[in-house]
Amino acid sequence: MYLHIWSLLLATLSSSHTAPTTQKSLLGTGHKDGLEDNLTRGSSGRPLRGRFLHVSDLHPDPFYKYHSSSRQEDACHRGEGPAGILGAETTDCDSPVSLINATFKWIEDNLKDEIDFVIWTGDSARHDNDEQIPRTVEQVASLNRMLVSKFVEVFGKEENINDTDPTNDFIIPIIPTWGNNDILPHNILAKGPNPWTKRYLDIWRKFIPEEQKHSFERGGWFYVEVIPNKLAVLSLNTLYFFDSNAAVDGCADPSEPGYQHLEWLRIQLQFLRQRGMKAILMGHVPPARTESKMSWDETCWQRYTLWMHQFRDVVVGSVYGHMNIDHFILQDSHDLDISSILGVNEPTRRTSIDDELNAQSAASYLTELRSEWSHLPKLPKVSSKKEKNRKKRNANAKEERLLKNFGSPWGERYSLSLVSPSVIPNYFPSLRVIEYNITNAETRSPVSTILRARVDGDDVNMLELCQAVDRNKTLETAMLCSQAIDDSSDFQAKKSKFKIPRGPPKSSPPGPAYSPQTFSWLGYTQYYANLTEINDDFTNSTVAKTMNGGVVGSGWKEGKHHGKHPKNSKPSPSNFEFEVEYDTRDDKIFGLKDLTVKSYVTLAGRIGQYKPEKGDRLSTRTLNEKPSVLEPAGHDLLQSVKKHKKKKKHRKHPKHEKRKAINRVWFTFVGRAFVSSRDDNDLHDEFGQPVGLLQDS
């Protein structure tokens, strides 16, 4: 009922602000020397490097056997087949311990001295995918303990014998979180305190600050000041938001742990604002949401998106795992709906994304994302001269409308979630290193800013807000406030308790997620380990070229080598290493000059173009002649194809027909989503648009 109207209230709460007259210079691609000279200290006391590591979904499996079968009934535990010594890439088998050891050894040799902290987003036990070897509570716990020991091996302090503080055992902070497979049964976590929160309080005792152990036992959430008094990482327990967790029921009822968790998050963000600090959010299950699919309960998504919008001056960015595919998600504040936040009306029915995506569901999900991104607003291009005089004369109405739809010149209508691929080789094993700006990180926030945040940052009651708004200003505002006052007593009682956090202080510039400044994310390097080359079990002639990596009817991936046998009886792998798949700092196709929300909204808009601009077109003359799968039904491209088919008899000779170019940004996006493990022809078949049927526009 309140859809799209909610943004009017947000606009009332949010203050308009102007861009800083000058921006601090950012570190260029040759940033290493500059970082070495920076004396800013992290929580460990060593100089900052301006990078952190994101590692996710390791899924160690002690029962994995090399050269075993990758069929679903065998799960790389028995039989004979293509499972490599370091993992069965493009299958649904879990990670061998050899891959875990090799990964941590590579991190020790290549990243240990180059990063400031580690974000570890869960799923640190094997899947329950083998009926002959069911998981147990002790097994899940012991696998998590094993990974803690690996972090100790790489990042533990050598001289720490007489130190009684368990959180001082590492040279840099390590921040873990829950995965849906880190509990038994998987996905199901009841309200805490419970046996699992108590168990992980012990397993992660080296990571959780002493003063937060009580709240962790209650709900599994905590935060770490990775740069004391400046930057904190908040570890979210997304299992309480997860739509597949049958033990909880969303985030609308104050008795639910999801509601309590988001209240904790609101309070922490408020405190960080008051202290002049910034925050990075991390979790396992991302807030994925499309027209027909979702991973979080709608009430949780709504409240979280509201928090992200109102605390956009505090949150630097957020990172997640779980889905195994490399992509990003935009949360749109225009989708906020007060009735959905309060759980009053039935939300739009969406299919729950139960677990990690298989190849078919991933393709459908990515295609839906693209369809939604095709409707994103574009930021108008305004000349500097016109911008200077914009306030002195009436600007072009179209440009004003586009700017309003974009949220601000920095895209503040949206918030961003980065979803990293996994170590488990469902595709290729992956790691991500994110670079952030540490220029002037040693400068404390001025007291005046903190005091202003205390004044302007108080929560506001829903009804008080309505009373403060001029109800005659617009019809929509009048309708909304009338509803807030005149609804039933039960709904009224809920509303009177709901408090909307205020937006950024009036004097504050856009936050680090929107405008380049200290702690803004500059770019990231995506690493991957090409297990096909490293395991070296097959010659090119023996590799099976199969659609979707050998997915069987049940959705299980047997992998691109399924049905084949290794060329040698004994493994003889090459040296294990992660190599750069792509680096956003010098990527010509995505063209991300930084990781701000504005950059990603622009990128998403380019991905969503079914008729891309010339610079984003991929030549189709080298593709197979057969038409590919059509774009989503209902799109104008499909309508154009139908119209063209009706006129087919009027065509000239086929050799004179021009061919429609494919969007190379979209093609690159889906190729990277599967960590460059999919054959290009397969990607064209699954994600391409018809060629040879349309004339160039």
mmCIF file of all heavy atoms in Angstrom, residues 87-114:
data_model
loop_
_atom_site.group_PDB
_atom_site.id
_atom_site.type_symbol
_atom_site.label_atom_id
_atom_site.label_comp_id
_atom_site.label_asym_id
_atom_site.label_seq_id
_atom_site.Cartn_x
_atom_site.Cartn_y
_atom_site.Cartn_z
ATOM 1 N N GLY A 87 41.121 -30.943 -5.694
ATOM 2 C CA GLY A 87 39.716 -30.574 -5.792
ATOM 3 C C GLY A 87 39.117 -30.930 -7.137
ATOM 4 O O GLY A 87 39.826 -31.018 -8.148
ATOM 5 N N ALA A 88 37.813 -31.136 -7.128
ATOM 6 C CA ALA A 88 37.084 -31.508 -8.342
ATOM 7 C C ALA A 88 36.354 -30.273 -8.866
ATOM 8 O O ALA A 88 35.183 -30.037 -8.543
ATOM 9 C CB ALA A 88 36.112 -32.646 -8.054
ATOM 10 N N GLU A 89 37.042 -29.465 -9.670
ATOM 11 C CA GLU A 89 36.487 -28.205 -10.146
ATOM 12 C C GLU A 89 35.217 -28.419 -10.952
ATOM 13 O O GLU A 89 35.065 -29.419 -11.642
ATOM 14 C CB GLU A 89 37.518 -27.424 -10.953
ATOM 15 C CG GLU A 89 37.821 -27.941 -12.338
ATOM 16 C CD GLU A 89 38.871 -29.033 -12.357
ATOM 17 O OE1 GLU A 89 39.126 -29.658 -11.306
ATOM 18 O OE2 GLU A 89 39.442 -29.275 -13.437
ATOM 19 N N THR A 90 34.318 -27.456 -10.838
ATOM 20 C CA THR A 90 33.009 -27.397 -11.517
ATOM 21 C C THR A 90 32.068 -28.514 -11.087
ATOM 22 O O THR A 90 31.089 -28.794 -11.775
ATOM 23 C CB THR A 90 33.151 -27.384 -13.069
ATOM 24 O OG1 THR A 90 33.549 -28.676 -13.543
ATOM 25 C CG2 THR A 90 34.116 -26.312 -13.521
ATOM 26 N N THR A 91 32.329 -29.139 -9.942
ATOM 27 C CA THR A 91 31.414 -30.143 -9.399
ATOM 28 C C THR A 91 30.787 -29.616 -8.119
ATOM 29 O O THR A 91 31.125 -28.531 -7.633
ATOM 30 C CB THR A 91 32.145 -31.459 -9.082
ATOM 31 O OG1 THR A 91 32.924 -31.291 -7.879
ATOM 32 C CG2 THR A 91 33.057 -31.881 -10.214
ATOM 33 N N ASP A 92 29.883 -30.409 -7.550
ATOM 34 C CA ASP A 92 29.302 -30.073 -6.249
ATOM 35 C C ASP A 92 29.996 -30.800 -5.108
ATOM 36 O O ASP A 92 29.478 -30.846 -3.989
ATOM 37 C CB ASP A 92 27.806 -30.396 -6.239
ATOM 38 C CG ASP A 92 26.972 -29.292 -6.872
ATOM 39 O OD1 ASP A 92 27.483 -28.161 -6.977
ATOM 40 O OD2 ASP A 92 25.823 -29.553 -7.266
ATOM 41 N N CYS A 93 31.159 -31.377 -5.373
ATOM 42 C CA CYS A 93 31.942 -31.991 -4.300
ATOM 43 C C CYS A 93 32.562 -30.898 -3.434
ATOM 44 O O CYS A 93 32.778 -29.767 -3.883
ATOM 45 C CB CYS A 93 33.043 -32.865 -4.883
ATOM 46 S SG CYS A 93 32.449 -34.322 -5.786
ATOM 47 N N ASP A 94 32.863 -31.228 -2.189
ATOM 48 C CA ASP A 94 33.470 -30.277 -1.270
ATOM 49 C C ASP A 94 34.986 -30.202 -1.473
ATOM 50 O O ASP A 94 35.549 -30.874 -2.342
ATOM 51 C CB ASP A 94 33.127 -30.650 0.173
ATOM 52 C CG ASP A 94 31.693 -30.313 0.534
ATOM 53 O OD1 ASP A 94 31.209 -29.258 0.083
ATOM 54 O OD2 ASP A 94 31.051 -31.090 1.262
ATOM 55 N N SER A 95 35.636 -29.397 -0.631
ATOM 56 C CA SER A 95 37.075 -29.150 -0.781
ATOM 57 C C SER A 95 37.884 -30.224 -0.063
ATOM 58 O O SER A 95 37.650 -30.494 1.120
ATOM 59 C CB SER A 95 37.445 -27.788 -0.181
ATOM 60 O OG SER A 95 36.723 -26.748 -0.776
ATOM 61 N N PRO A 96 38.865 -30.811 -0.738
ATOM 62 C CA PRO A 96 39.776 -31.704 -0.021
ATOM 63 C C PRO A 96 40.637 -30.911 0.953
ATOM 64 O O PRO A 96 40.861 -29.705 0.753
ATOM 65 C CB PRO A 96 40.619 -32.321 -1.137
ATOM 66 C CG PRO A 96 40.571 -31.322 -2.240
ATOM 67 C CD PRO A 96 39.213 -30.681 -2.157
ATOM 68 N N VAL A 97 41.122 -31.552 1.976
ATOM 69 C CA VAL A 97 41.982 -30.873 2.944
ATOM 70 C C VAL A 97 43.249 -30.369 2.256
ATOM 71 O O VAL A 97 43.809 -29.338 2.648
ATOM 72 C CB VAL A 97 42.314 -31.821 4.117
ATOM 73 C CG1 VAL A 97 43.330 -31.176 5.067
ATOM 74 C CG2 VAL A 97 41.041 -32.188 4.876
ATOM 75 N N SER A 98 43.668 -31.057 1.204
ATOM 76 C CA SER A 98 44.852 -30.611 0.459
ATOM 77 C C SER A 98 44.637 -29.220 -0.131
ATOM 78 O O SER A 98 45.569 -28.408 -0.169
ATOM 79 C CB SER A 98 45.184 -31.613 -0.647
ATOM 80 O OG SER A 98 44.091 -31.752 -1.548
ATOM 81 N N LEU A 99 43.416 -28.921 -0.603
ATOM 82 C CA LEU A 99 43.120 -27.595 -1.134
ATOM 83 C C LEU A 99 43.141 -26.556 -0.017
ATOM 84 O O LEU A 99 43.645 -25.438 -0.212
ATOM 85 C CB LEU A 99 41.760 -27.593 -1.835
ATOM 86 C CG LEU A 99 41.262 -26.231 -2.332
ATOM 87 C CD1 LEU A 99 42.224 -25.629 -3.348
ATOM 88 C CD2 LEU A 99 39.855 -26.344 -2.931
ATOM 89 N N ILE A 100 42.604 -26.903 1.145
ATOM 90 C CA ILE A 100 42.626 -25.976 2.285
ATOM 91 C C ILE A 100 44.064 -25.647 2.668
ATOM 92 O O ILE A 100 44.427 -24.474 2.850
ATOM 93 C CB ILE A 100 41.869 -26.578 3.475
ATOM 94 C CG1 ILE A 100 40.422 -26.936 3.092
ATOM 95 C CG2 ILE A 100 41.907 -25.622 4.659
ATOM 96 C CD1 ILE A 100 39.591 -25.780 2.608
ATOM 97 N N ASN A 101 44.901 -26.677 2.773
ATOM 98 C CA ASN A 101 46.298 -26.455 3.144
ATOM 99 C C ASN A 101 47.026 -25.607 2.106
ATOM 100 O O ASN A 101 47.788 -24.692 2.447
ATOM 101 C CB ASN A 101 47.010 -27.796 3.312
ATOM 102 C CG ASN A 101 46.529 -28.564 4.524
ATOM 103 O OD1 ASN A 101 46.012 -27.972 5.483
ATOM 104 N ND2 ASN A 101 46.671 -29.885 4.499
ATOM 105 N N ALA A 102 46.787 -25.901 0.830
ATOM 106 C CA ALA A 102 47.461 -25.156 -0.238
ATOM 107 C C ALA A 102 46.999 -23.704 -0.261
ATOM 108 O O ALA A 102 47.800 -22.797 -0.517
ATOM 109 C CB ALA A 102 47.188 -25.833 -1.583
ATOM 110 N N THR A 103 45.708 -23.482 0.009
ATOM 111 C CA THR A 103 45.184 -22.116 0.013
ATOM 112 C C THR A 103 45.825 -21.288 1.118
ATOM 113 O O THR A 103 46.272 -20.157 0.891
ATOM 114 C CB THR A 103 43.652 -22.132 0.182
ATOM 115 O OG1 THR A 103 43.064 -22.784 -0.951
ATOM 116 C CG2 THR A 103 43.091 -20.728 0.312
ATOM 117 N N PHE A 104 45.882 -21.833 2.322
ATOM 118 C CA PHE A 104 46.479 -21.082 3.435
ATOM 119 C C PHE A 104 47.985 -20.898 3.246
ATOM 120 O O PHE A 104 48.538 -19.869 3.641
ATOM 121 C CB PHE A 104 46.161 -21.771 4.760
ATOM 122 C CG PHE A 104 44.818 -21.404 5.317
ATOM 123 C CD1 PHE A 104 43.693 -22.140 4.990
ATOM 124 C CD2 PHE A 104 44.667 -20.301 6.139
ATOM 125 C CE1 PHE A 104 42.437 -21.794 5.485
ATOM 126 C CE2 PHE A 104 43.429 -19.937 6.635
ATOM 127 C CZ PHE A 104 42.304 -20.691 6.308
ATOM 128 N N LYS A 105 48.625 -21.873 2.631
ATOM 129 C CA LYS A 105 50.064 -21.713 2.349
ATOM 130 C C LYS A 105 50.276 -20.581 1.350
ATOM 131 O O LYS A 105 51.211 -19.760 1.501
ATOM 132 C CB LYS A 105 50.638 -23.017 1.789
ATOM 133 C CG LYS A 105 52.143 -22.968 1.513
ATOM 134 C CD LYS A 105 52.941 -22.788 2.810
ATOM 135 C CE LYS A 105 54.425 -23.014 2.631
ATOM 136 N NZ LYS A 105 55.042 -22.034 1.716
ATOM 137 N N TRP A 106 49.410 -20.488 0.343
ATOM 138 C CA TRP A 106 49.538 -19.408 -0.640
ATOM 139 C C TRP A 106 49.268 -18.054 0.010
ATOM 140 O O TRP A 106 49.950 -17.075 -0.276
ATOM 141 C CB TRP A 106 48.573 -19.643 -1.808
ATOM 142 C CG TRP A 106 48.797 -18.700 -2.942
ATOM 143 C CD1 TRP A 106 49.645 -18.865 -4.000
ATOM 144 C CD2 TRP A 106 48.194 -17.410 -3.115
ATOM 145 N NE1 TRP A 106 49.604 -17.765 -4.829
ATOM 146 C CE2 TRP A 106 48.714 -16.847 -4.312
ATOM 147 C CE3 TRP A 106 47.258 -16.672 -2.395
ATOM 148 C CZ2 TRP A 106 48.335 -15.596 -4.789
ATOM 149 C CZ3 TRP A 106 46.878 -15.417 -2.861
ATOM 150 C CH2 TRP A 106 47.411 -14.892 -4.047
ATOM 151 N N ILE A 107 48.275 -18.003 0.890
ATOM 152 C CA ILE A 107 47.989 -16.762 1.616
ATOM 153 C C ILE A 107 49.197 -16.350 2.451
ATOM 154 O O ILE A 107 49.585 -15.169 2.483
ATOM 155 C CB ILE A 107 46.747 -16.928 2.502
ATOM 156 C CG1 ILE A 107 45.480 -17.074 1.639
ATOM 157 C CG2 ILE A 107 46.588 -15.751 3.460
ATOM 158 C CD1 ILE A 107 44.228 -17.428 2.428
ATOM 159 N N GLU A 108 49.828 -17.325 3.119
ATOM 160 C CA GLU A 108 50.997 -17.023 3.944
ATOM 161 C C GLU A 108 52.150 -16.483 3.102
ATOM 162 O O GLU A 108 52.821 -15.520 3.489
ATOM 163 C CB GLU A 108 51.443 -18.277 4.684
ATOM 164 C CG GLU A 108 52.641 -18.053 5.595
ATOM 165 C CD GLU A 108 53.002 -19.285 6.399
ATOM 166 O OE1 GLU A 108 52.594 -20.396 6.008
ATOM 167 O OE2 GLU A 108 53.700 -19.131 7.423
ATOM 168 N N ASP A 109 52.354 -17.072 1.938
ATOM 169 C CA ASP A 109 53.489 -16.683 1.099
ATOM 170 C C ASP A 109 53.249 -15.382 0.344
ATOM 171 O O ASP A 109 54.210 -14.680 -0.008
ATOM 172 C CB ASP A 109 53.803 -17.797 0.090
ATOM 173 C CG ASP A 109 54.330 -19.052 0.766
ATOM 174 O OD1 ASP A 109 54.765 -18.964 1.932
ATOM 175 O OD2 ASP A 109 54.287 -20.125 0.126
ATOM 176 N N ASN A 110 51.987 -15.038 0.080
ATOM 177 C CA ASN A 110 51.711 -13.934 -0.832
ATOM 178 C C ASN A 110 50.921 -12.772 -0.234
ATOM 179 O O ASN A 110 51.006 -11.645 -0.744
ATOM 180 C CB ASN A 110 50.957 -14.455 -2.065
ATOM 181 C CG ASN A 110 51.770 -15.409 -2.893
ATOM 182 O OD1 ASN A 110 52.543 -14.998 -3.753
ATOM 183 N ND2 ASN A 110 51.603 -16.704 -2.645
ATOM 184 N N LEU A 111 50.132 -13.028 0.807
ATOM 185 C CA LEU A 111 49.252 -11.976 1.323
ATOM 186 C C LEU A 111 49.475 -11.618 2.784
ATOM 187 O O LEU A 111 49.036 -10.555 3.228
ATOM 188 C CB LEU A 111 47.781 -12.398 1.144
ATOM 189 C CG LEU A 111 47.289 -12.637 -0.281
ATOM 190 C CD1 LEU A 111 45.823 -13.070 -0.261
ATOM 191 C CD2 LEU A 111 47.460 -11.398 -1.146
ATOM 192 N N LYS A 112 50.104 -12.462 3.525
ATOM 193 C CA LYS A 112 50.216 -12.293 4.976
ATOM 194 C C LYS A 112 50.687 -10.902 5.378
ATOM 195 O O LYS A 112 50.117 -10.279 6.289
ATOM 196 C CB LYS A 112 51.169 -13.345 5.543
ATOM 197 C CG LYS A 112 51.423 -13.219 7.033
ATOM 198 C CD LYS A 112 52.371 -14.312 7.509
ATOM 199 C CE LYS A 112 52.683 -14.178 8.985
ATOM 200 N NZ LYS A 112 53.600 -15.246 9.450
ATOM 201 N N ASP A 113 51.686 -10.393 4.716
ATOM 202 C CA ASP A 113 52.272 -9.097 5.087
ATOM 203 C C ASP A 113 51.698 -7.937 4.284
ATOM 204 O O ASP A 113 52.176 -6.809 4.400
ATOM 205 C CB ASP A 113 53.793 -9.142 4.905
ATOM 206 C CG ASP A 113 54.446 -10.168 5.823
ATOM 207 O OD1 ASP A 113 53.957 -10.327 6.954
ATOM 208 O OD2 ASP A 113 55.421 -10.809 5.383
ATOM 209 N N GLU A 114 50.674 -8.208 3.483
ATOM 210 C CA GLU A 114 50.137 -7.176 2.598
ATOM 211 C C GLU A 114 48.706 -6.773 2.933
ATOM 212 O O GLU A 114 48.112 -5.974 2.208
ATOM 213 C CB GLU A 114 50.185 -7.674 1.139
ATOM 214 C CG GLU A 114 51.570 -8.049 0.658
ATOM 215 C CD GLU A 114 52.532 -6.874 0.696
ATOM 216 O OE1 GLU A 114 52.072 -5.737 0.469
ATOM 217 O OE2 GLU A 114 53.730 -7.095 0.962
#
